[in-house]
Each structure stands twice: as structure tokens, then as C-alpha cells.
Amino acid sequence: MNFRRIEWIFFIAFIILDIFLVSSYFRQGPIPNANSKGTENTTVSVLKSMRDDQINVGKVSNKKDNGYYISSSDGNHLKEKGNSLRYQNWSYNNNQINSTFATMIKVNADNPQRSLKSIVNDPSQIIDGKDYKYCKKLSTKNVIVYAQYIHGDPVYDSSGQIRFHVKNGYIEGYTQGHLENIQTLRGSRKIISQKRALIWLYQYNKLPSNSTVESSNLTYSKLLSVNGNTIYIPTWVFYIKNNASGSTIYRKINAFTGAVMDDGNN
């Protein structure tokens, strides 16, 4: 693909992106203005309201980091390398490998990366395993997640993850997506802080009463696809436990604009 064509793809992508963000804004309503009431007093007031609603948020950061628009090309990289895989049965669908190991692998529940290190680093068992790192915060007792990282933050979508499936202490198999030809589309820009994202979620009525925000992560999530390329953006992901039922829900918020994204894990 020549440089001129890449420029046009990115130009079209940003037109679509701008349309998407504007339409999201009007569907959701104006984003609460951090300065509309002046001030830190407003933040303190909102945090107090959370406590009154029995929402436990713990310690949250007001630090503002930098983020980027990222592009990844859609391709058949995994499919093309699939014939190198051994000791497993695999299929390819929607740009992902779905595999079942011939022999299940015993996993160390406390340190699963120890059990999987030799597997992930073996190209006959995992394609390009070196491109992923174990991500404890995105893992559960049933799914062990290895993610690709962009500018130090993990990819939240399965399109950039290896997800090992655990049953009764053994890994049965995995699904794998892989981001190819990752490019930064624009220079860095400031993202909203963890505290600001949490406040906006509350103001959007996305934090249920009698709940606990157990953790949050800054990740990269899929925004849209255009012309065989997918755009990713920085995203705050909050993990919220319902104290009454014990169930966990997920909330995502665009770290550039503060717009709430889809609820739930992918």
C-alpha cells in the first residue's frame, strides 16, 4: 500500500470518526462540564453523593495522561500462519483463531503466566506470542488474558488479545486476535483523568447504588472500522460489583471525549 493511499484512508477515517463522535454526542446529550460550577467543590459534592448512594469508589487519581488515535489494518495474518500450529485443533473466523489443545494444560491459579510462559513463547503453539503480555487486571478465574499493548496500555478488545479458557483448573484452549500494522494517526492529546471519568459515569446514571468500583484500567478499545482498517482510542474501563447480588458489570468511557461507550465486556 503506497503512502498516498494510506493518507486518503486516514482522511476518510477521520471524517467518519468526526461524524461518529458528533452523533454520539447528540444521542447521549451534552457531556457534563468539569468547570460549569466552578470547581473542585463540585467534584467533592459529586463524590459525597456517591457515598450517599452507597457507591464505594476507593482512591481515584486526578492525573491526566496522554493518548493517541491508533489504526490497525485488518488482515489474514493469523490464518496465513495457522499451518505452523501443532498439538491443537484450530479454526479461523472473524479474523481470530479458535483453538482446542490436544492435551489440557494444568494452570497455576495464583501465577498463571508461569504455567503459560513456555506455551506463549512457542511459535508452534501460539502465533507471535512475543507480541502479548499477561494482563492480570483483565483476567478472571475462567479466562486468562494476554493482551497486545499500545503506548503502554493493553488492548481491551479480543481483536488484540489471547484469551485462554479455563475449566476446573485446566486450560482447554484459546481464542486469539492480532492487531497488525499498528500506526499512530495523530500526535498525542490529553485524556480525562480516572476521577473525571468516574464522575461522568455517575452523572450519566451508569453507577448503580450499593456497589463497589473494584478496579479501573486505561485501555485501547475499538471505535470503528473503515476501508480495511480499524481505529482504536484510549478508554477508561471500570469494574463494578453489585454489593447485593455479587455480580460484576463493566462500564467504558471514551477517554478523549467523556462519552459513555457500550456497557459490558466483549
Side-chain angles (χ1 to χ4, degrees), residues 142-191:
N142 297 318
V143 180
I144 298 169
V145 175
Y146 278 67
Q148 291 178 268
Y149 278 68
I150 299 174
H151 296 290
D153 296 311
V155 176
Y156 182 74
D157 296 270
S158 59
S159 55
Q161 295 179 348
I162 305 170
R163 302 169 69 91
F164 292 98
H165 309 300
V166 182
K167 184 176 181 181
N168 298 325
Y170 287 84
I171 294 174
E172 298 182 306
Y174 65 92
T175 58
Q176 179 184 6
H178 188 272
L179 303 190
E180 303 175 32
N181 302 319
I182 297 173
Q183 298 186 49
T184 301
L185 301 186
R186 291 181 176 178
S188 66
R189 57 179 290 186
K190 288 292 183 182
I191 61 175

Side-chain angles (χ1 to χ4, degrees), residues 186-205:
R186 291 181 176 178
S188 66
R189 57 179 290 186
K190 288 292 183 182
I191 61 175
I192 62 176
S193 69
Q194 178 194 38
K195 180 183 288 186
R196 178 52 52 193
L198 190 63
I199 287 173
W200 278 345
L201 279 178
Y202 178 74
Q203 292 177 320
Y204 285 134
N205 296 317

